[in-house]
Amino acid sequence: MTAYGTQQPRPAEPLHRRFLAALAACVAVALALAAPWGAAVAAPGETLATAKSEDYFLYTHNGSTYWIGPIGYDSAGGRYYCIEQTRPTSLRVNAVSPLPDSPQNRRIAALLRKYQHVHNSDYTQTALAIIVHDAFDDTTGSAGWGANRETLRQYPRLFERVDELLAEAPQLVPETMTAELEYDPVTRTGNVRLHIRNGSGGTVAGVPFTLKIDGPARFGNGSTTVTGTSGDYTTVITWHATGDGPVTVTGSATVPSIDRIISTQDMVTLGGGHMQAIDEVTIPVRYSFNPTITTRISPKSIATGAPVTDDVQVSALPGSGAWPRGAQLHARGWYFGGLPIHALGERYVPNAHATAPEFLEQLARAGYEPCAFAEATFGASGQTVHVQGVREPGADEPYLAEQGGFGTWVWAVERDRQAGDVRELLVDDVITAFMDPSETHAVRAPLTVESRVVESVVRPGAQITDVIRVSGFPDEHGDWGGSGEHGIDADVPYAQVRVWWAGSGDGQDDGAYEPADAQEPEEDDHHILIGTWEYEAVNGEIHVGGGTPDAHGNPVEIRAERPGWYVFVWEFAGDGRVQAATSSYADPQERVFVRVEPEPARTPEAVPVAEPEPEAEAPQPPALATTGVSNAWPITLGLLTLLAAAILVVRHRRELEDGE
């Protein structure tokens, strides 16, 4: 049954003092447009269906029977509640007027939304009708809402349900709506975390929202917009980057609203909602991948014939884009060998956006061609791979340094040679510079030494000399001061020549000390270092001894004072560009033998023999004949025989004198 009353409006009484709390929001001002919240509101001219008994409560006031609950339904089942107790209704919708957004209206709308299709078994619909009348019905008199409300007081359960709903309402109303923007640089994906919370900080479910993403990114659906409804927990919407730059997310959420229905008896129903903007949030995004190649050739000096190696590291440094999860990066290297000194000052840096083949062509035009190649694969940022150069790309035969000079590596991660998922992240080829100091080393040239003493056998006191022929030094050796930038030592300007004596000391057993070991001996009684002289470390012929000056202009004279062996040893200690070299101590071409000839034997003077007295002549021994043999021993024996005979004669004479 319908109720009657005045049509005069007056300011609405407070629904409940809990509705007076301010509704703070971390959002921008509400937009004027409405977004769908519940069922569509009845259109003007539509006549509502009469409410069913299961949705209202009957009571008697002033002898008349009334119901309290929804008054009718629209075609979508939406419930309508009267707000003019004293006026009859025709259930015809004449016009629809949205009520202003306010904390009270939001809470009533939130209750209407939640319990829109709940029957009156627990007096919910009756309690909602009471709440609506309290908020919007200003009719007075014996038939007005105030008098009817007093009649309903005899049913305390109705108002217990009213209090329950009013206590619940703040939990259903969104007060803060914020968004967080997350980005995982490894996966190039991100999340929007949408927080729609009530005044107590709890999540409010069922709130419609729309998000828009601007910048190099798309939502998971591939679009720049996404719509949805909040759940019982934080709402998470995925997105992925498509390029580099700032990504901004904006959006709006729809808060509940109430529409006033203009009719013979005005009504209210759940409106389409008010849209509120969510504060925008922006983060920088790096989608592309521009790794850094770090290389260090070691050692900084190698000998010809040695393998050419390198330590290569590929990293994702800050600002270059994170290493893609699970990505395998392939790199190629080119080694350039036999480079002259002037190449150290010809550092080439790839042009912006140049490809590796283009850079190699640029080096070829400058006269530089690779002689060795290498490849490496990297599965994580900061991984280091030790590589060895090979003669041909993809081959197994190692490259061994073939000539002296300088060598350097160039490395590249080439976009077109990567797998598809990595290729789309790389903007350009990543290429190292040519003649980068960390990638450059020296290849030390070998030396060849040949020598021969001028005379291999001399007598004591003779001067000894040696002629040494050296080849293998760079043409300008001795003039280069090294490169601190490249970590390569300066030339050592001098070689040394040492002369050793070895022998018995008395010339009797020098054969036992004839040099037989390539290594120089330690000094002792039978091995003595005669002297050391410096000569320029250059190619050519060196004359040592005989008064020829050394590198410092001092004449060098070497005399063989003692019998035995005199050995020349030439040595270069080595430097950054040239290998060390030493001639062999046992080289027969490098030694002089000093030999002592035996002295010829001399005949001693004859001993005078006294003539015997005539009166006492003693028999004389026969005179010894001269043999004329030149051998020393027969001469000596003859002399001794004569001497013995003379002694016997003198002795015999004395005996005769003593007898007289």
Side-chain angles (χ1 to χ4, degrees):
M1 298 179 66
T2 58
Y4 298 84
T6 178
Q7 301 181 52
Q8 297 300 319
R10 64 181 178 84
E13 296 292 334
L15 173 61
H16 191 279
R17 62 184 179 183
R18 278 170 289 186
F19 277 104
L20 299 179
L23 185 63
C26 298
V27 295
V29 295
L31 301 177
L33 298 177
W37 175 268
V41 180
E46 182 179 348
T47 299
L48 305 177
T50 304
K52 298 178 181 179
S53 60
E54 60 190 18
D55 275 351
Y56 54 75
F57 176 78
L58 292 174
Y59 69 97
T60 301
H61 175 68
N62 290 339
S64 297
T65 300
Y66 293 83
W67 76 63
I68 184 74
I71 194 173
Y73 313 126
D74 61 21
S75 58
R79 287 161 167 73
Y80 290 68
Y81 302 85
C82 67
I83 57 172
E84 291 180 320
Q85 184 71 23
T86 61
R87 296 177 62 85
T89 181
S90 63
L91 297 180
R92 180 179 175 81
V93 176
N94 294 330
V96 178
S97 176
L99 293 179
D101 183 30
S102 70
Q104 172 184 277
N105 290 352
R106 284 192 188 184
R107 294 184 182 186
I108 295 175
L111 290 171
L112 295 182
R113 176 185 175 277
K114 180 175 181 179
Y115 296 106
Q116 183 72 195
H117 301 290
V118 174
H119 295 305
N120 203 39
S121 58
D122 61 351
Y123 304 111
T124 296
Q125 290 298 331
T126 295
L128 289 175
I130 292 173
I131 291 171
V132 167
H133 276 291
D134 284 346
F136 304 113
D137 195 337
D138 57 2
T139 59
T140 60
S142 60
W145 168 244
N148 277 267
R149 195 175 195 280
E150 286 300 319
T151 300
L152 290 172
R153 283 286 186 183
Q154 62 184 305
Y155 307 105
R157 179 67 189 101
L158 299 181
F159 290 93
E160 289 176 4
R161 185 58 179 149
V162 168
D163 289 340
E164 291 172 359
L165 293 179
L166 292 177
E168 181 186 9
Q171 309 304 313
L172 305 178
V173 177
E175 292 198 18
T176 61
M177 289 173 282
T178 59
E180 286 182 72
L181 200 52
E182 301 174 335
Y183 182 60
D184 183 353
V186 174
T187 61
R188 271 68 175 177
T189 61
N191 293 318
V192 179
R193 293 187 175 273
L194 183 60
H195 304 285
I196 299 179
R197 297 188 175 101
N198 56 37
S200 301
T203 300
V204 180
V207 178
F209 64 84
T210 299
L211 297 178
K212 180 181 179 181
I213 194 166
D214 292 307
R218 293 290 184 274
F219 286 115
N221 61 3
S223 174
T224 58
T225 60
V226 65
T227 60
T229 303
S230 64
D232 293 330
Y233 304 96
T234 298
T235 302
V236 179
I237 302 96
T238 61
W239 59 278
H240 60 272
T242 58
D244 299 336
V247 170
T248 300
V249 170
T250 57
S252 61
T254 304
V255 297
S257 68
I258 296 177
D259 284 345
R260 184 174 185 132
I261 306 301
I262 309 302
S263 182
T264 55
Q265 182 190 54
D266 287 357
M267 299 167 281
V268 294
T269 189
L270 179 65
H274 292 291
M275 190 177 293
Q276 282 194 313
I278 302 170
D279 285 343
E280 72 176 36
V281 58
T282 301
I283 62 171
V285 166
R286 177 66 183 245
Y287 174 80
S288 63
F289 183 41
N290 188 37
T292 300
I293 305 175
T294 304
T295 56
R296 182 161 298 278
I297 198 167
S298 180
K300 294 295 288 182
S301 182
I302 65 171
T304 55
V308 174
T309 61
D310 202 9
D311 292 317
V312 187
Q313 183 183 88
V314 176
S315 302
L317 299 180
S320 66
W323 191 280
R325 180 169 297 165
Q328 296 283 318
L329 262 69
H330 303 284
R332 290 200 298 169
W334 299 267
Y335 176 78
F336 301 79
L339 305 178
I341 286 179
H342 68 77
L344 296 179
E346 297 180 0
R347 189 169 186 265
Y348 288 85
V349 178
N351 296 325
H353 310 300
T355 65
E358 291 171 346
F359 187 51
L360 292 174
E361 289 179 7
Q362 178 185 357
L363 296 178
R365 290 193 297 270
Y368 300 114
E369 297 281 355
C371 57
F373 310 86
E375 295 187 17
T377 300
F378 303 85
S381 178
Q383 181 182 356
T384 299
V385 177
H386 182 75
V387 300
Q388 178 173 326
V390 295
R391 288 192 171 275
E392 298 293 338
D396 296 327
E397 183 183 358
Y399 172 83
L400 304 180
E402 295 177 347
Q403 57 183 317
F406 299 96
T408 193
W409 283 93
V410 169
W411 282 90
V413 173
E414 300 166 84
R415 184 177 185 275
D416 291 342
R417 296 177 67 88
Q418 310 304 314
D421 56 341
V422 177
R423 182 168 58 250
E424 68 179 18
L425 300 179
L426 289 170
V427 176
D428 296 305
D429 288 3
V430 181
I431 314 169
T432 63
F434 175 79
M435 294 306 294
D436 187 279
S438 66
E439 274 293 79
T440 303
H441 67 175
V443 178
R444 294 184 295 163
L447 297 176
T448 301
V449 182
E450 297 178 351
S451 62
R452 180 184 292 272
V453 294
V454 176
E455 292 184 82
S456 59
V457 180
V458 299
R459 291 181 177 275
Q463 285 204 32
I464 58 175
T465 58
D466 192 17
V467 178
I468 303 172
R469 296 175 181 83
V470 181
S471 61
F473 281 110
D475 291 341
E476 74 290 343
H477 189 265
D479 298 331
W480 190 58
S483 173
E485 179 185 13
H486 293 83
I488 302 173
D489 295 335
D491 290 349
V492 172
Y494 301 115
Q496 291 184 333
V497 175
R498 292 184 291 274
V499 176
W500 288 86
W501 170 84
S504 62
D506 58 7
Q508 297 301 309
D509 190 18
D510 292 331
Y513 302 99
E514 182 177 357
D517 192 342
Q519 299 297 319
E520 296 174 74
E522 296 289 336
E523 283 198 278
D524 55 27
D525 291 341
H526 300 284
H527 302 86
I528 298 175
L529 181 62
I530 299 300
T532 301
W533 298 270
E534 287 188 331
Y535 293 87
E536 289 185 351
V538 295
N539 297 324
E541 192 172 85
I542 302 171
H543 292 262
V544 181
T548 303
D550 62 9
H552 306 291
N554 301 317
V556 177
E557 293 186 355
I558 308 169
R559 291 191 178 276
E561 302 290 351
R562 307 174 66 182
W565 305 93
Y566 285 77
V567 182
F568 289 82
V569 175
W570 180 92
E571 180 185 31
F572 179 67
D575 57 26
R577 298 198 295 155
V578 181
Q579 299 176 35
T582 305
S583 63
S584 172
Y585 178 75
D587 185 353
Q589 305 297 324
E590 281 280 63
R591 58 179 180 246
V592 176
F593 182 63
V594 179
R595 182 168 57 195
V596 179
E597 295 289 346
E599 295 184 1
R602 292 183 300 170
T603 303
E605 294 182 1
V607 178
V609 180
E611 291 292 333
E613 293 292 333
E615 64 275 15
E617 283 188 2
Q620 298 293 322
L624 294 177
T626 300
T627 63
V629 179
S630 63
N631 189 285
W633 280 108
I635 294 173
T636 302
L637 290 175
L639 291 173
L640 290 175
T641 302
L642 290 175
L643 180 59
I647 293 172
L648 289 175
V649 170
V650 172
R651 183 177 178 182
H652 181 67
R653 180 178 179 185
R654 287 179 179 175
E655 288 177 352
L656 290 177
E657 290 177 351
D658 290 342
E660 291 179 353

